[in-house]
Amino acid sequence: MVRLLGRSDARPARRPRDPQGRRTPETALGRRSLAAQVFVLQVVVVLLVVVAAVVALVLQARHDTTQEARNRSLAVAETFANSPGIVAALRSPAPTVLLQPRAEAAREAAAVDFIVVMDTDGTRYTHPKPDRIGKKFVGTLKPAQDGGTVVEEIDGTIGRLVQAVVPVKDADGTVVGLVSAGITTARVGGNADRQLPLVLTAAGVALALATGGTALVSRRLLRQTHGLGPREMTRMYEHHDAVLHAVREGVIIVGGDGELLLANDEAHRLLNLPPDAERRDVLSLGLDAETAALLASGQPVTDEVRLVGDRLLAINQRPTDVAGGPAGSVATLRDSTELRALSGRAEATRERLDLLYAAGVTVGTSLDVNRTAEELTELAVPRFADFATVDLFDAVLEGEEPDARATLRRSAMSAVRKGAPLYAVGERIRFVDSAPQARTLDSGRPVLEARLAESPGWRAQDLERTEQVVEFGIHSLITVPVRAGSLVLGVVSFWRSERPAPFDPEEVVLAEELVARAAVSIDNARRFTREHGMAVTLQRSLLPRSLPEQGALDIAYRYLPAQAGVGGDWFDVLPLSGARVALVVGDVVGHGLHAAATMGRLRTAVHNFSALDLAPEELLGLLDELVARIDQDETTDGGAAPVTGATCLYAIYDPVSRRCIVARAGHPPPALVHPDGRVEYPDVPAGLPLGLGGLPFETAELELAEGSRLVLYTDGLVEDRKQDIDTGLERLRSALGRADGSPEETCQAVLESLLPARPNDDIALIVARTRALGADRVAEWEVPIEAAAVGEVRAAVARQLARWELEELSFTTELILSELVTNAIRYGSGPVGVRLLRDRTLICEVSDSSNTSPHLRYAAMTDEGGRGLFLVAQLTDRWGTRYTAEGKVIWAEQPLPRPAAGDSMP
């Protein structure tokens, strides 16, 4: 086993444990890294040296201060004691008077704290403080009295001081007095105190420099030891050694000169190195030349695969001289011989799973059978096969359940290259019993034809075509049934030509799973096609198949069901009495059979309500109540969803007055194109959608010039997910402004400008160009309330019919008006009016201010009256009553006589 040089063999001591078996916490120093410990130790040493230096300085300063004080006090005392005149002054009658001034002057000059002159008994003659003159001196006097000197340290009243006492001798050596000089140590040590800050500053600078140097050393040590302590470093090296030789990857370290510094056990095994490989040149280890040159070069490589012996080794190599490291390189070796085989199988499995996932995401994005089949083939080519075809029964394409005996139709095909001699899309196919497709349809199981050239059953389908297929290069086939429960909807064929390997059984399983996922989407599209067809059939049966005859409007319309599902849009043109025409546009929000059925109910209700000749606001009010009852009934029965969001617009146009009354319930406003091409949206009160109730509907009355175009539509034309209704209305305004022609041309221009590629909602559009019934085709009379007026009316009507060349209708018209006018005079109230309108029919109207409506009844044989309305009903095509704000109008219509051959209608 290769060991790192310099590693300690001593195992680290285990941390002690407490009685419960837990490790005791380490000391603060023990928790630090090795670099931190070295740093702290060096800082402490430097700090101790600085402190010792400062202490020594202070002690030396104190010693020097004391010695200086002793020397100075002794010198001053001896100097003053030997000064001239001192002996005479002591023997004078007033020593204090003579000595005090001299002592003070000498004290100040010598910079001492006191000079005291005293007699031999110690009585003071002088003192800095006069009140102490004449008092005993405090200190040792005996040596001085004997002719010697005394120097001592005492704690005096002014602090710690040093004083000297010397004798004053006369000429013969007799002691005649004593002189003491003293100085405090603080006074002498002032210089040392002044020097101390400088000393401390210098010590601080030295400490900072030493700390900085220590920090640099510690930082370098920290970088080298990675913040580990001694124990951790020892443990790290042991673990490093154990891991290095236990890993299943070879590790080698090569020096800058190409010398092998380290190789673990796995590297020895993989490279078959000799036992003494360390400290030898890599090129001399017996490796192949390319591998040895790579390891000796130190160039960075990543997962470079080399064949070493019988192994495929993946080599990763990096230099070690980055970030200031030593020159050389480290390389790892991984045996990838088995991994290569496993990774190939794993990659194939991953691709198959990815294909199945993509099938769930990309196949079935629409509810169209053919498009779903195309998505399947587009997914399979080229990821799974080189060619893919889908053949479905015709009934499936129409939304019905398939018949196994019917022919199939090629619905989709994808190919990696063009020109394959396969059946084209749209071609009808009937497979022979031996063909793989026929066997798949019969058994409901996939069939594998690994080698088509060796399959007589497949060749029997069409000898010439199959020979062309083989020559084209297609050599392998898988057929899979499209199953949805117990139904087989068709067959999918996967063909291979570009890849030489044939399909295998594992790929058959994948193909079956792929088609199974797509079959659900195909069946859903089939069911939708069936339900959509049923809904469209129902819806078209409920919509008007042709427009009724009327002379007030030239009308063109368009109705386009949504591709995503049938909605509840509808429209109607309803002739009313008096040559008037009602236009209706409605929308039931939602799609499907429920919306279509609800639309039929509402359209029938509008027909019934319009037969009552109601005003637009009254009709919408009744329709609102009907929707509310429908919602209530369906909610109570737990049936379908309520009819929320139903809207309607109802307009009545009168060609005589050229006025149009419009009311709407939550529907988009109508557009009006004036004869000069100007487009506007009349201000029609919106009202709430049907079924909400609560508020009455309001109307708007428009006066339309002859030739104006009134445009009614549903919101599918102007609103969708990509644009709001305001944008759609502006686009409609622009399209109408450009459309200058008949209603038919206007419809076409609007749809070309606004119709989306795939409408998400139904679109209903009506363009109605107005006509006017001229004054020459209208005759009116006011009838007095008297019986004689009936004859006058009959005569006037006969004259008017003669002017219109309708003498053939004179008898029946006079009879009808006689009955209606007589009833108005007898049972109604004035004023009574009569109006004749010549339109497609002859319309007779009698109005009065009464709200009482006559009723048709059968008179008995013995009754004298009661047969008038019965005669009116027999002589006319239609008759009825409509109510106005002033009363009521009884009207009757007669067909105009057919013109003779060669004549024309006036």
Side-chain angles (χ1 to χ4, degrees):
M1 180 179 292
V2 177
R3 302 289 183 179
L4 294 179
L5 298 179
R7 196 203 72 183
S8 173
D9 292 332
R11 298 183 62 84
R14 294 184 178 272
R15 194 189 309 169
R17 300 176 180 267
D18 59 13
Q20 285 76 26
R22 297 172 295 185
R23 293 187 184 274
T24 58
E26 296 182 354
T27 64
L29 188 60
R31 290 194 301 268
R32 297 181 182 274
S33 65
L34 180 61
Q37 294 180 23
V38 172
F39 176 77
V40 172
L41 181 60
Q42 292 189 8
V43 169
V44 169
V45 170
V46 173
L47 187 59
L48 289 177
V49 172
V50 172
V51 170
V54 172
V55 170
L57 178 62
V58 171
L59 293 177
Q60 182 64 36
R62 288 185 179 181
H63 177 269
D64 293 344
T65 298
T66 302
Q67 189 64 37
E68 175 67 20
R70 293 172 69 90
N71 294 337
R72 188 184 298 182
S73 60
L74 180 60
V76 171
E78 288 180 345
T79 300
F80 194 81
N82 295 316
S83 63
I86 187 65
V87 176
L90 286 174
R91 290 177 175 176
S92 67
T96 300
V97 175
L98 297 175
L99 296 176
Q100 178 68 15
R102 291 177 60 187
E104 286 301 307
R107 180 182 66 80
E108 293 179 0
V112 295
D113 290 306
F114 64 87
I115 296 177
V116 177
V117 182
M118 66 195 87
D119 60 11
T120 55
D121 293 332
T123 301
R124 299 188 185 103
Y125 292 135
T126 64
H127 197 278
K129 296 181 179 180
D131 59 340
R132 296 187 182 183
I133 297 174
K135 296 181 180 180
K136 289 291 186 179
F137 179 76
V138 179
T140 304
L141 300 178
K142 181 62 176 171
Q145 291 173 344
D146 294 338
T149 59
V150 178
V151 180
E152 61 180 347
E153 295 182 27
I154 64 172
D155 291 324
T157 58
I158 58 175
R160 186 74 176 174
L161 55 86
V162 178
Q163 62 184 10
V165 182
V166 299
V168 179
K169 300 178 180 180
D170 59 6
D172 57 3
T174 302
V175 176
V176 296
L178 303 174
V179 176
S180 176
I183 186 171
T184 59
T185 56
R187 187 181 184 93
V188 179
N191 292 333
D193 294 340
R194 287 190 295 272
Q195 294 174 357
L196 185 59
L198 179 60
V199 173
L200 293 177
T201 301
V205 172
L207 178 62
L209 292 176
T211 303
T214 303
L216 292 177
V217 174
S218 300
R219 183 178 179 183
R220 180 59 178 261
L221 184 60
L222 177 66
R223 188 164 58 247
Q224 292 181 350
T225 61
H226 300 285
L228 299 177
R231 293 183 179 179
E232 287 79 2
M233 291 187 64
T234 302
R235 187 180 303 112
M236 179 194 70
Y237 280 114
E238 288 187 347
H239 291 174
H240 170 269
D241 201 10
V243 171
L244 181 65
H245 295 280
V247 294
R248 296 297 297 170
E249 284 193 357
V251 179
I252 63 173
I253 299 177
V254 180
D257 56 356
E259 182 183 353
L260 178 63
L261 301 179
L262 183 146
N264 68 347
D265 294 345
E266 185 68 8
H268 275 267
R269 186 182 70 85
L270 295 177
L271 297 176
N272 195 22
L273 297 176
D276 59 344
E278 284 79 5
R279 299 301 180 183
R280 291 175 55 182
D281 192 278
V282 174
L283 300 176
S284 64
L285 297 178
L287 301 175
D288 64 276
E290 292 185 359
T291 304
L294 174 64
L295 297 177
S297 67
Q299 66 182 18
V301 295
T302 300
D303 286 337
E304 182 167 334
V305 179
R306 295 295 181 109
L307 180 61
V308 179
D310 58 349
R311 296 186 179 94
L312 285 174
L313 300 184
I315 302 176
N316 290 274
Q317 185 167 265
R318 295 291 182 272
T320 58
D321 57 357
V322 292
S329 61
V330 58
T332 61
L333 314 170
R334 185 175 67 253
D335 190 354
S336 61
T337 306
E338 297 180 359
L339 184 61
R340 284 272 171 168
L342 291 175
S343 62
R345 291 194 293 269
E347 180 64 19
T349 302
R350 187 197 64 79
E351 291 180 356
R352 293 178 180 181
L353 291 176
D354 185 60
L355 181 65
L356 294 178
Y357 172 77
V361 174
T362 60
V363 178
T365 59
S366 67
L367 291 174
D368 181 82
V369 176
N370 287 321
R371 179 55 193 156
T372 304
E374 291 173 0
E375 290 171 345
L376 172 60
T377 60
E378 291 169 359
L379 174 67
V381 176
R383 298 176 63 176
F384 178 68
D386 300 318
F387 298 88
T389 59
V390 178
D391 305 318
L392 300 175
F393 291 105
D394 284 333
V396 174
L397 301 176
E398 297 171 0
E400 303 297 332
E401 292 188 357
D403 182 2
R405 295 169 296 179
T407 58
L408 294 97
R409 186 181 299 273
R410 179 137 297 175
S411 303
M413 181 174 68
S414 293
V416 294
R417 53 193 173 104
K418 297 181 179 179
L422 300 173
Y423 291 112
V425 174
E427 191 171 350
R428 297 173 66 90
I429 308 170
R430 183 179 291 276
F431 292 103
V432 298
D433 294 340
S434 62
Q437 291 85 352
R439 286 183 284 152
T440 293
L441 294 174
D442 291 339
S443 64
R445 302 293 299 170
V447 173
L448 170 63
E449 291 290 351
R451 293 174 175 80
L452 288 177
E454 302 173 4
S455 174
W458 172 72
R459 285 180 171 272
Q461 174 68 29
D462 186 337
L463 294 177
E464 181 179 357
R465 183 186 294 272
T466 54
E467 185 64 28
Q468 294 174 353
V469 169
V470 173
E471 292 177 356
F472 189 76
I474 298 176
H475 60 82
S476 189
L477 168 66
I478 296 176
T479 59
V480 183
V482 182
R483 296 177 57 92
S486 60
L487 297 178
V488 177
L489 309 179
V491 62
V492 179
S493 302
F494 300 102
W495 315 77
R496 177 167 288 178
S497 66
E498 303 299 316
R499 283 170 280 190
F503 287 114
D504 56 39
E506 290 186 2
E507 291 174 314
V508 173
V509 176
L510 175 61
E512 188 175 13
E513 179 67 21
L514 182 63
V515 174
R517 298 195 179 194
V520 176
S521 300
I522 294 176
D523 188 53
N524 289 339
R526 177 189 69 84
R527 293 173 183 271
F528 173 79
T529 301
R530 181 184 60 187
E531 294 181 0
H532 184 267
M534 295 171 58
V536 169
T537 302
L538 173 62
Q539 186 184 42
R540 293 194 179 279
S541 68
L542 297 175
L543 290 172
R545 300 185 180 181
S546 61
L547 297 181
E549 293 184 358
Q550 46 82 32
L553 298 168
D554 291 329
I555 296 177
Y557 68 92
R558 295 289 189 277
Y559 183 84
L560 301 174
Q563 293 190 9
V566 176
D569 294 12
W570 91 92
F571 67 93
D572 247 323
V573 178
L574 306 173
L576 302 178
S577 63
R580 297 171 304 136
V581 178
L583 300 176
V584 189
V585 175
D587 182 9
V588 176
V589 175
H591 297 86
L593 292 175
H594 176 68
T598 303
M599 175 269 291
R601 299 171 71 176
L602 296 183
R603 179 171 177 260
T604 301
V606 171
H607 270 265
N608 294 334
F609 293 149
S610 66
L612 300 177
D613 235 327
L614 300 176
E617 69 274 16
E618 295 178 7
L619 185 142
L620 290 182
L622 294 175
L623 202 62
D624 181 64
E625 293 179 4
L626 173 63
V627 172
R629 284 199 303 273
I630 293 175
D631 288 349
Q632 183 178 2
D633 294 342
E634 291 184 346
T635 302
T636 303
D637 296 341
V643 191
T644 56
T647 64
C648 183
L649 185 146
Y650 190 82
I652 297 178
Y653 174 68
D654 187 351
V656 178
S657 63
R658 293 183 291 103
R659 293 186 178 276
C660 182
I661 302 176
V662 185
R664 62 188 179 115
H667 203 81
L672 177 60
V673 184
H674 294 275
D676 58 2
R678 182 168 49 90
V679 182
E680 67 170 326
Y681 292 101
D683 186 12
V684 180
L688 295 176
L690 299 175
L692 300 183
L695 294 176
F697 295 97
E698 301 180 31
T699 61
E701 185 171 336
L702 313 175
E703 183 171 352
L704 307 181
E706 187 174 7
S708 300
R709 284 169 288 172
L710 189 64
V711 181
L712 310 182
Y713 51 90
T714 55
D715 59 356
L717 181 67
V718 295
E719 184 179 17
D720 59 23
R721 298 173 182 174
K722 297 182 180 179
Q723 70 174 8
D724 57 21
I725 190 170
D726 293 334
T727 303
L729 292 177
E730 286 303 316
R731 293 181 61 197
L732 176 61
R733 183 197 297 271
S734 300
L736 292 174
R738 295 191 299 268
D740 185 14
S742 65
E744 190 69 29
E745 295 172 347
T746 302
C747 282
Q748 188 63 30
V750 168
L751 292 182
E752 289 177 355
S753 299
L754 276 75
L755 184 65
R758 293 181 61 85
N760 296 320
D761 194 6
D762 294 2
I763 296 175
L765 173 65
I766 299 178
V767 178
R769 185 171 58 189
T770 61
R771 295 178 179 177
L773 201 62
D776 59 332
R777 304 178 71 178
V778 180
E780 294 182 278
W781 298 274
E782 186 173 346
V783 181
I785 306 298
E786 56 186 27
V790 177
E792 297 176 2
V793 170
R794 292 173 61 181
V797 167
R799 291 192 296 271
Q800 183 63 47
L801 293 177
R803 284 192 291 271
W804 287 342
E805 298 180 357
L806 296 177
E807 291 87 349
E808 296 180 26
L809 302 178
S810 295
F811 176 75
T812 57
T813 304
E814 291 178 18
L815 183 60
I816 291 169
L817 286 176
S818 295
E819 179 60 30
L820 296 180
V821 171
T822 300
N823 284 342
I825 294 175
R826 180 178 300 178
Y827 303 110
S829 57
V832 175
V834 174
R835 186 172 72 164
L836 288 183
L837 303 176
R838 184 185 178 187
D839 191 29
R840 292 179 178 273
T841 60
L842 179 64
I843 304 172
C844 304
E845 296 181 345
V846 177
S847 61
D848 64 75
S849 59
S850 172
N851 290 326
T852 303
S853 176
H855 297 284
L856 178 65
R857 66 185 182 89
Y858 293 95
M861 295 296 294
T862 57
D863 291 341
E864 295 183 359
R867 297 178 177 85
L869 288 180
F870 180 78
L871 292 175
V872 170
Q874 295 297 315
L875 296 175
T876 60
D877 282 352
R878 297 193 309 156
W879 76 279
T881 304
R882 73 171 181 270
Y883 294 93
T884 65
E886 295 80 16
K888 68 177 183 297
V889 175
I890 310 297
W891 56 270
E893 292 184 5
Q894 302 176 73
L896 296 178
R898 293 180 179 273
D903 294 343
S904 61
M905 290 287 294

